[in-house]
Amino acid sequence: MIYEFSGHQPLTPVDPEVTKRLQRLHELGLGEQPVPEFDEFARRIGEVTRAPYAMVNFIREDRQYFAGLHVADAPAGAGSTAQPGRVMSRDHGYCPHVVVRRKALVLDDVCDYPRFAGNPVVDEIGIRSYLGAPLIDRTGTALGTICVVDVEPRPWGRAGLETIKSLAADLVDQINSLQR
């Protein structure tokens, strides 16, 4: 686990619902392989928000799995040449915060927030802004998130927040229609 230097607090929140989430993901058959429909959904999110990276992310106890992933052409001004893959440690990124909080998270510039500026994705991938919303299914389980990130600060604003929440609701409807 990665810790904040001041006060030695974990940067990634404790997740009390991980067992319930893993059971539900197993029932739905999600979170272990790419899903072409989720890749398409991630592409749509990226286009709507004009963000270079977009993901449909399912959170496990120790890692995150991007069942939907869209990576646009290498963004100009990228602080790093690294690209996100399908799997990321739970200690990397901001989606685990969204799942535990069960609320959308808007970070126009992650460097404006000491708790988030020290996240490894800032240095490893060059992430500077984040916009994400939880995927809470009909059982009340927070399965994961949809999110977009950029290598430049972005004023997502209220419009960005409403957009990501609406898109998350659309994907939850799609997930709820799975007959599993």
Side-chain angles (χ1 to χ4, degrees):
M1 182 164 288
I2 298 172
Y3 290 87
E4 191 173 359
F5 290 114
S6 61
H8 302 290
Q9 296 177 335
L11 288 177
T12 307
V14 174
D15 185 353
E17 293 187 347
V18 69
T19 302
K20 179 180 175 185
R21 178 177 320 102
L22 292 176
Q23 179 181 355
R24 186 67 180 142
L25 288 171
H26 179 74
E27 290 170 3
L28 293 168
L30 297 174
E32 293 292 331
Q33 68 261 346
V35 176
E37 294 85 1
F38 293 169
D39 282 340
E40 178 57 28
F41 197 87
R43 185 196 60 73
R44 179 176 155 216
I45 298 167
E47 285 182 358
V48 167
T49 61
R50 296 185 316 276
Y53 305 113
M55 294 80 126
V56 174
N57 187 6
F58 296 110
I59 312 291
R60 304 189 70 77
E61 68 275 11
D62 60 346
R63 64 184 170 87
Q64 304 171 67
Y65 187 80
F66 302 124
L69 177 63
H70 173 71
V71 178
D73 293 333
S80 170
T81 58
Q83 299 284 319
R86 292 275 179 184
V87 178
M88 183 180 288
S89 169
R90 190 175 173 278
D91 292 334
H92 287 55
Y94 310 104
C95 291
H97 294 272
V98 172
V99 167
V100 170
R101 290 167 27 124
R102 301 172 66 84
K103 295 188 332 186
L105 178 62
V106 179
L107 300 171
D108 294 339
D109 185 344
V110 299
C111 294
D112 287 345
Y113 304 89
R115 178 174 185 89
F116 298 120
N119 195 286
V121 297
V122 174
D123 292 329
E124 292 174 16
I125 303 174
I127 300 305
R128 285 294 301 273
S129 61
Y130 173 91
L131 178 63
L135 298 171
I136 301 173
D137 81 343
R138 68 174 171 246
T139 69
T141 305
L143 302 173
T145 68
I146 62 167
C147 70
V148 293
V149 294
D150 202 335
V151 297
E152 300 291 333
R154 292 277 299 267
W156 301 109
R158 166 97 37 225
L161 174 64
E162 295 305 320
T163 297
I164 202 75
K165 287 168 56 176
S166 175
L167 289 166
D170 290 348
L171 187 57
V172 166
D173 288 345
Q174 185 178 336
I175 291 169
N176 283 337
S177 71
L178 297 175
Q179 297 299 315
R180 298 178 188 175

